[in-house]
Amino acid sequence: MRYLPLNQSDRAKMQDVIGINSIDDLFADVPKNALNPAFDLPRQQSEMAVERALGEMAGKNISGGQGPFFVGAGAYRHHVPATVDHIIQRSEFLTSYTPYQPEIAQGTLQYLFEFQTQVAALTGMDVANASMYDGSTACAEAALMARRVTRKNRVVISGGLHPHYASVTRCNSELIGDKVVLAPANIKGDEDLIAMIDDQTSCVIVQNPDVFGHIRDLTPIAEAAHEKGALLIAVFTEVVSLGALQSPGAMGADIVVGEGQSIGNSLNFGGPYVGLFATRQKYIRHMPGRLCGQTKDADGQRGFVLTLSTREQHIRRDKATSNICTNSGLCALAFSIHMSLLGEKGLRTMATLSHEAACDAADALSALSGVVLLNDNFFNEFTLRLPKNAEQVAEDLAGKGVLGGVPGGRLWPEQEDLHNLLLVAATEMTSTEHIRKFVAALREVL
Amino acid sequence: MSMKPQGRPTAPIGTDPVKNGPTHTGNKALQIEEKLIFEIGDFRGTGVDFAQAKGLPPRLGGLARKDEIGLPGLSEPQAMRHYVRLSQKNYAIDMGPFPLGSCTMKHNPRLNEKMARLPGFADIHPLQPVSTVQGALELIDMLALWLKELTGMPAVAMSPKAGAHGELCGMMAIKAALVARGEADTRRRVLAPESSHGTNPATAAQCGFTVDDIPADKTGRVDIKAFKAMLGPDVAAIMVTNPNTGGLFERDIRQMADLVHEAGGYFYCDGANLNAIMGKVKPGDLGIDAMHINLHKTFSTPHGGGGPGAGPTVLSEALAAYAPVPYVVAKGKEFELVEKRSQGAETSFGRMTAFHGQMGMFVRALSFMMSHGIDGLKQAAEDAVLNANYVLTRLKAEMSPAFPGFCMHEALFDDAFLKDSGVETIDFAKAMIDEGYHPMTMYFPLIVHGAMLIEPTESESKEELDQFCDALLALAREAKTGKTDKFKAAPVFAPRRRLDETAAARKPVLRWVSPAQ
Amino acid sequence: MTTRYTKDHEWVSLEGDVVSIGITKHAAEQLGDVVFVELPDGGKSFAQGDDMAVVESVKAASDVYAPISGEIIETNQTIVDDPAKVNEDPEGAGWFVKIKISKPEEFEALMDEAAYKDFIA
């Protein structure tokens, strides 16, 4: 087996040193009738054979690069510079561990410090952690943190929050005994969240742009929440939007969470992604997840360490702020490299190009008869109402080589009034030709 | 002879580097000091070229960003150097042994990386029409089959994003089962050994359970008498790692399973140490109800400096009905994605993450499993256990094992061998850094004083292990001879000396701030 | 002024019906460098044994229990701003809170200095 360095002669010598006759002498504590059972699994294969088998499976999927692509709703297809993937495959990043020994992990620690600074700047917050699993779990963790900060237990969720984020958050908050109030899906972006906040409310969770693409002014919601002693949790699923829109911090958010996949990371069929989590300085001891901090070494040189670990499970055990252990280190690195290349200038251009592509697509698609654009404003994703079930339309479009968006039935399976909706996303990768092909295909399948 | 001057000396001339002092740059040959991106980058620059924007009027609802973000853009060569220099300050499994106990740092085959980057896996969207991702669903289903067969369990939830997330999944399923039985309010206690991973009590608390520690017996295993006495009608579940965090197999595991089941509770098994028994034992044969599998440990999807991981969680018949959505079901040659309750998921406890789990990690793990085959996985487990016992046997000469007898995949030592030397576990670990090794896990598990937990994995050759043991034996002898100062000063050859964690925690600096501010 | 001690390594000094409370020198040494202290709000009441404050070093977080029942009348913000004070002078400037006691008999039941010295010996 190509991955195992020991040969039979090594094994025999080592058994002699240990003083055993058979390897199973080392498994003596295992109940006898449970040792060495039969398995119905194949035997080892060559690299070539594995490559062939997995390649066949991959070949059965339609990948984003094969044609016009307009799918979003929480994951976006942006261009990632070749440098990013090269760097994250370096052995010293790919095959290192969580930086528990900071003297020989300054590479990881420094990029985490840079990552935290980038995320804090983007969100308009004081501090960010070293990443979460993804946007949805970051959102759930934010609600739990608001419970700790406010010592209240009523979670108010906007009807514009991605329904999967709402489900994850609800699942986690109800588990610990919080009451979760979920506003109905809000197609127009005009819900009255403020009326839902009361004295028992720990947090209000609002996505911007919301899942339908509407851009929301969070300022009045923040003010109303603060008046009642609740926190505003601002959520984004498209981090590139922060290059074009007012930051959540500037609009008064207390915790900002979101999905960072768009920067540096591929679609990967849903994971691994990178959850971003930022908040105000005064709440840092209530934060979940790893934090990297600056300090000095014994020679007085600047260096970085994991810090405030007493919040974490390995020390605090049942009193930890979260059970999170692993984060998304390598995805955070990919994010940070891509963002370092972009800089503010590049990010703003990327955001503008994505927005313009969406504007073009929205105009061209809504010109079709029977197709209605629901948005007055949007960033790079908008919602169309189609004259028929959008799930069938998406399938038919795929048959014509166009991945044309996310149908409402996929996100709100139990709500039939939303099943004619189609969420359409564009990025800087979207060309005029893609839009033309999408329009032509949609005209044919409607 | 004709004289042809060489122009330069070609053999080294010995001088004392210490006497010469530090370099002018602070650099040490291949070790280059590197500033932060915020100190080298141009805040008006960018390293990415785009097409020109058209200049369309924005439709952003009057909420366009007005303030500056404050992010530097590095040109490509600057960025490349920055990250390459940073990388050279990291230790990695590709450089040498990474014997972190409980972490399973094994070789990461590059075939797995190549497979995960096939566009058919990397460039597909989680919400594409199901008909366009049949190959991806097939892969998830196949990996699920491997995991179920390896563990002897009937069901597996694939979506948990990491080990701790898998624990949460298992405990959520247990909670849902208790709710269905009408016992959620009466069964509020979870029992976990004192030696458990911190994630166990943290997870239980996150599910609203209280946690009680089960004491260990003299052999480092669960004290079965004490355990029996703790069981009762208020116990929801036990959370036990097997092999445990001391590297020992819990010989009474079946009895524990029977006892907790008789008491009406469930058995959560922490699968962090599956590497010791894959292909040797089916945990399902031991009576467990749920167990997460760390794909990044056992199946070598890389640790990546702290993630991403993946934590599929196998479930017993008693818990399978509560598994989270979404999941994949094979219908003949087609694969269906169950995302809604009406698709037969009426009793599902809900959703753990936005999408389908860590697809990128699934591809890598399956690539690893298919490469090994069942024969290779079994051999890997045996080699991992053999390597750990070889290290245990050799190091016994100078170091003090925490418990008598053989171990499984990791060897646990206490600090008794350092008694009266003035050298503590942390000093010993830091001295290993100067010898070119990543230290073992230290001060864990908590039940052993000054614990040092060594997990060599199957990836180490005998030659590498011998060098490693020679180095540790030499250090142990040196510590005992009173060279305390050397240990206290270590590391001296690493990119940084010991860092001041107290200062970092007292006045946290968690981001760069412009000196102008 | 009389000082008593608890098994949880807190000291309690009584003056009139008010006690000052802190952690003992022994506890401060065992904890190592204190990096963070969280104190309760003034006016809050505690029963003996309730979680009252938190003290953290880099590697450990410990709850500080109310050694005696009563109401918080003063907290020491100096140790919140500069946790090192707890290590420098645990039984003086590093005090945590002052409590107006409601059950004086609880004080009498605590250990005196000699008993505490035996306890930690």
Side-chain angles (χ1 to χ4, degrees):
Chain A
M1 212 285 124
R2 61 189 177 276
Y3 301 141
L4 301 176
L6 296 185
N7 59 32
Q8 285 310 345
S9 129
D10 294 329
R11 291 181 184 116
K13 279 186 214 150
M14 291 164 76
Q15 288 191 14
D16 282 348
V17 172
I18 298 167
I20 52 169
N21 297 318
S22 139
I23 186 71
D24 282 345
D25 292 351
L26 298 176
F27 290 83
D29 289 332
V30 176
K32 284 285 162 289
N33 53 2
L35 190 64
N36 298 324
F39 291 88
D40 183 19
L41 289 167
R43 290 177 57 82
Q44 58 185 273
Q45 294 186 59
S46 68
E47 182 161 329
M48 193 168 66
V50 174
E51 198 168 339
R52 191 171 287 158
L54 292 175
E56 272 173 28
M57 274 187 235
K60 292 177 189 169
N61 304 320
I62 298 182
S63 60
Q66 286 176 250
F69 185 93
F70 294 86
V71 195
Y76 301 88
R77 188 166 186 271
H78 289 279
H79 183 259
V80 179
T83 305
V84 175
D85 199 43
H86 172 81
I87 292 172
I88 68 167
Q89 288 200 69
R90 280 189 68 93
S91 291
E92 302 90 334
F93 290 132
L94 187 76
T95 77
S96 60
Y97 195 71
T98 302
Y100 285 144
Q101 297 288 344
E103 298 87 351
I104 46 172
Q106 285 298 305
T108 299
L109 286 158
Q110 184 168 333
Y111 84 63
L112 288 177
F113 187 78
E114 293 172 347
F115 170 82
Q116 289 175 185
T117 306
Q118 288 171 324
V119 174
L122 278 166
T123 54
M125 303 303 279
D126 301 325
V127 289
N129 74 10
S131 80
M132 311 293 285
Y133 306 135
D134 68 1
S136 65
T137 56
C139 181
E141 289 276 5
L144 297 178
M145 174 172 147
R147 171 195 163 93
R148 291 190 294 272
V149 170
T150 63
R151 299 185 186 176
K152 299 180 186 185
N153 59 2
R154 187 171 170 274
V155 177
V156 174
I157 300 180
S158 154
L161 180 65
H162 193 297
H164 293 174
Y165 282 46
S167 300
V168 176
T169 304
R170 179 182 211 154
C171 212
N172 279 273
S173 284
E174 286 183 346
L175 196 63
I176 199 140
D178 278 1
K179 183 172 167 50
V180 178
V181 184
L182 180 56
N186 180 234
I187 304 173
K188 292 185 182 158
D190 59 355
E191 64 190 348
D192 185 6
L193 271 179
I194 292 173
M196 296 172 68
I197 308 169
D198 67 14
D199 290 334
Q200 279 314 302
T201 305
S202 59
C203 59
V204 191
I205 306 178
V206 193
Q207 181 179 324
N208 187 45
D210 73 13
V211 67
F212 301 99
H214 306 293
I215 297 168
R216 315 265 296 242
D217 184 1
L218 303 180
T219 311
I221 306 171
E223 285 167 3
H226 295 157
E227 210 162 278
K228 301 270 187 191
L231 304 189
L232 172 64
I233 297 172
V235 181
F236 55 85
T237 59
E238 168 55 295
V239 63
V240 177
S241 68
L242 297 175
L245 297 175
Q246 193 75 280
S247 77
M251 293 193 277
D254 301 287
I255 307 174
V256 182
V257 291
E259 179 54 67
Q261 170 270 330
S262 289
I263 301 293
N265 289 277
S266 312
L267 290 167
N268 286 329
F269 200 49
Y273 287 174
V274 51
L276 310 184
F277 195 111
T279 188
R280 307 268 177 210
Q281 180 78 25
K282 61 181 170 185
Y283 299 135
I284 55 173
R285 289 186 185 266
H286 294 284
M287 283 176 93
R290 299 243 151 85
L291 287 168
C292 170
Q294 182 180 309
T295 189
K296 289 200 160 99
D297 78 351
D299 292 338
Q301 285 195 289
R302 176 169 72 184
F304 303 91
V305 291
L306 291 179
T307 191
L308 303 184
S309 308
T310 44
R311 299 164 300 110
E312 293 185 64
Q313 48 76 27
H314 60 279
I315 292 178
R316 216 49 186 299
R317 300 178 72 85
D318 56 327
K319 287 186 176 165
T321 54
S322 164
N323 77 342
I324 195 166
C325 184
T326 300
N327 55 17
S328 281
L330 205 67
C331 301
L333 174 61
F335 177 100
S336 197
I337 300 165
H338 191 182
M339 195 58 83
S340 300
L341 285 163
L342 284 167
E344 174 161 354
K345 186 179 179 197
L347 178 68
R348 281 180 182 270
T349 309
M350 189 176 179
T352 303
L353 292 172
S354 299
H355 180 54
E356 290 190 342
C359 289
D360 285 343
D363 289 343
L365 291 163
S366 62
L368 291 175
S369 124
V371 177
V372 180
L373 173 66
L374 295 186
N375 304 62
D376 293 331
N377 55 54
F378 53 84
F379 170 61
N380 71 335
E381 188 161 23
F382 52 86
T383 305
L384 299 176
R385 187 189 295 284
L386 305 181
K388 59 202 266 195
N389 187 305
E391 224 159 335
Q392 189 54 51
V393 172
E395 285 285 353
D396 293 345
L397 286 171
K400 295 187 173 300
V402 176
L403 294 173
V406 179
R410 198 71 194 274
L411 296 174
W412 296 274
E414 330 286 346
Q415 266 185 275
E416 287 190 17
D417 57 322
L418 304 178
H419 288 191
N420 284 10
L421 302 184
L422 186 69
L423 275 55
V424 178
T427 71
E428 76 287 351
M429 303 269 276
T430 311
S431 70
T432 313
E433 183 63 9
H434 291 152
I435 296 172
R436 197 190 58 72
K437 283 186 178 159
F438 185 11
V439 171
L442 185 59
R443 182 182 291 122
E444 284 174 43
V445 304
L446 281 182
Chain B
M1 66 176 277
S2 63
M3 282 290 287
K4 287 192 177 166
Q6 286 182 318
R8 61 183 178 88
T10 52
I13 302 162
T15 54
D16 181 355
V18 179
K19 211 167 65 188
N20 290 338
T23 56
H24 299 290
T25 51
N27 300 337
K28 294 170 201 156
L30 297 181
Q31 269 294 326
I32 312 283
E33 287 297 310
E34 183 64 4
K35 292 177 180 172
L36 295 164
I37 50 169
F38 309 98
E39 296 161 339
I40 53 180
D42 176 358
F43 282 76
R44 306 249 171 275
T46 182
V48 182
D49 296 331
F50 286 108
Q52 189 85 29
K54 293 180 190 165
L56 300 179
R59 289 146 84 169
L60 300 172
L63 289 163
R65 185 158 200 143
K66 296 179 194 85
D67 55 335
E68 277 189 22
I69 306 172
L71 292 173
L74 278 61
S75 66
E76 194 171 301
Q78 283 177 302
M80 188 60 87
R81 274 198 191 148
H82 177 71
Y83 290 104
V84 168
R85 285 171 179 172
L86 288 190
S87 76
Q88 289 171 334
K89 300 175 196 304
N90 270 5
Y91 192 87
I93 184 69
D94 284 350
M95 294 161 71
F98 213 127
L100 273 175
S102 218
C103 300
T104 314
M105 293 294 285
K106 59 169 76 173
H107 172 62
N108 301 133
R110 289 314 193 275
L111 170 65
N112 307 352
E113 294 303 311
K114 186 177 176 187
M115 294 300 95
R117 283 169 173 79
L118 292 173
F121 295 134
D123 193 17
I124 54 174
H125 191 287
L127 298 174
Q128 276 180 219
V130 170
S131 62
T132 66
V133 290
Q134 285 292 307
L137 300 183
E138 180 183 347
L139 182 132
I140 294 177
D141 188 63
M142 186 182 281
L143 178 61
L145 284 175
W146 273 83
L147 296 176
K148 287 185 283 188
E149 178 63 17
L150 269 178
T151 57
M153 296 288 277
V156 60
M158 296 297 287
S159 67
K161 305 283 252 182
H165 208 221
E167 282 179 34
L168 190 58
C169 175
M171 294 308 284
M172 280 170 149
I174 288 171
K175 184 106 174 188
L178 291 172
V179 169
R181 283 164 48 182
E183 293 187 79
D185 293 331
T186 50
R187 293 188 179 269
R188 302 294 297 267
R189 265 172 88 214
V190 165
L191 311 179
E194 310 171 87
S195 59
S196 65
H197 295 110
T199 49
N200 295 170
T203 302
Q206 206 164 326
C207 295
F209 295 116
T210 60
V211 187
D212 291 321
D213 288 345
I214 314 171
D217 68 11
K218 276 186 214 136
T219 72
R221 296 172 176 86
V222 163
D223 182 335
I224 195 85
K225 257 194 184 158
F227 168 68
K228 214 168 169 175
M230 294 171 82
L231 287 169
D234 57 346
V235 170
I238 57 169
M239 297 182 85
V240 176
T241 310
N242 196 27
N244 70 20
T245 58
L248 306 172
F249 195 89
E250 295 283 355
R251 353 179 142 102
D252 299 325
I253 184 160
R254 268 198 182 139
Q255 198 189 345
M256 287 158 63
D258 290 344
L259 285 168
V260 72
H261 288 147
E262 277 164 31
Y266 295 96
F267 188 162
Y268 187 88
C269 182
D270 181 327
N273 294 336
L274 181 63
N275 204 49
I277 56 170
M278 61 175 176
K280 294 290 288 181
V281 181
K282 291 181 178 179
D285 290 347
L286 305 171
I288 67 164
D289 289 298
M291 181 179 84
H292 72 266
I293 299 162
N294 304 82
L295 296 185
H296 48 291
K297 293 181 182 179
T298 315
F299 301 112
S300 180
T301 73
H303 277 79
T313 302
V314 289
L315 300 168
S316 65
E317 292 290 357
L319 298 180
Y322 307 104
V325 289
Y327 53 83
V328 178
V329 177
K331 292 260 167 85
K333 283 194 168 174
E334 303 263 291
F335 296 91
E336 193 183 311
L337 190 62
V338 176
E339 291 179 299
K340 49 191 169 191
R341 292 189 185 277
S342 58
Q343 281 173 286
E346 284 79 8
T347 50
S348 165
F349 70 70
R351 180 177 275 277
M352 297 212 63
T353 173
F355 303 117
H356 322 307
Q358 306 285 60
M359 181 67 179
M361 303 296 118
F362 297 163
V363 179
R364 291 171 174 89
L366 186 61
S367 171
F368 184 86
M369 291 169 149
M370 289 171 74
S371 294
H372 278 81
I374 185 61
D375 49 329
L377 292 178
K378 182 181 179 198
Q379 185 68 60
E382 291 178 353
D383 284 0
V385 172
L386 184 68
N387 278 353
N389 279 283
Y390 185 69
V391 168
L392 178 67
T393 306
R394 282 213 55 200
L395 294 186
K396 257 184 207 168
E398 296 288 345
M399 292 168 64
S400 43
F403 299 109
F406 297 129
C407 62
M408 296 297 283
H409 63 301
E410 53 193 357
L412 177 61
F413 297 86
D414 61 23
D415 59 2
F417 75 98
L418 295 173
K419 195 165 183 292
D420 301 328
S421 69
V423 177
E424 294 173 58
T425 293
I426 189 165
D427 308 319
F428 193 79
K430 298 300 182 191
M432 284 171 68
I433 292 177
D434 279 336
E435 300 293 340
Y437 292 106
H438 194 286
M440 67 289 268
T441 293
M442 50 183 195
Y443 300 105
F444 181 85
L446 308 175
I447 55 168
V448 168
H449 199 269
M452 299 175 216
L453 185 60
I454 301 176
E455 179 179 3
T457 83
E458 71 274 19
S459 301
E460 300 306 330
S461 66
K462 180 171 177 296
E463 190 192 6
E464 192 81 68
L465 287 179
D466 279 327
Q467 283 176 18
F468 175 76
C469 291
D470 290 344
L472 262 65
L473 290 168
L475 283 175
R477 280 190 294 270
E478 206 174 9
K480 291 175 192 174
T481 56
K483 271 195 137 187
T484 317
D485 289 351
K486 171 182 165 173
F487 286 86
K488 292 286 175 198
V492 295
F493 299 121
R496 282 292 177 272
R497 305 280 308 283
R498 280 195 218 186
L499 291 128
D500 188 345
E501 295 182 70
T502 301
R506 277 186 179 157
K507 293 265 179 277
V509 178
L510 305 179
R511 63 175 292 183
W512 175 83
V513 179
S514 160
Q517 282 178 17
Chain C
M1 194 177 82
T2 334
T3 303
R4 293 285 162 90
Y5 300 86
T6 73
K7 287 183 177 170
D8 300 311
H9 309 287
E10 290 144 81
W11 55 265
V12 187
S13 277
L14 181 69
E15 245 183 321
D17 61 350
V18 171
V19 291
S20 303
I21 293 166
I23 62 169
T24 63
K25 193 159 174 280
H26 172 73
E29 279 165 9
Q30 291 293 310
L31 270 175
D33 294 340
V34 173
V35 298
F36 176 68
V37 179
E38 186 181 286
L39 298 177
D41 295 336
K44 222 173 158 204
S45 289
F46 291 95
Q48 190 176 38
D50 285 355
D51 288 0
M52 180 182 74
V54 176
V55 54
E56 293 185 6
S57 63
V58 170
K59 295 291 176 200
S62 312
D63 293 316
V64 178
Y65 308 110
I68 195 160
S69 307
E71 182 192 330
I72 305 283
I73 55 166
E74 205 182 330
T75 57
N76 185 5
Q77 287 308 306
T78 328
I79 59 168
V80 175
D81 299 335
D82 183 10
K85 285 270 181 306
V86 177
N87 294 109
E88 287 160 16
D89 190 9
E91 304 195 10
W95 62 278
F96 277 47
V97 295
K98 291 185 180 172
I99 288 184
K100 186 171 177 188
I101 60 173
S102 54
K103 292 183 182 165
E105 67 276 16
E106 287 175 353
F107 184 78
E108 292 311 318
L110 299 176
M111 287 182 275
D112 62 16
E113 191 175 351
Y116 180 67
K117 275 194 174 151
D118 279 352
F119 176 68
I120 57 173

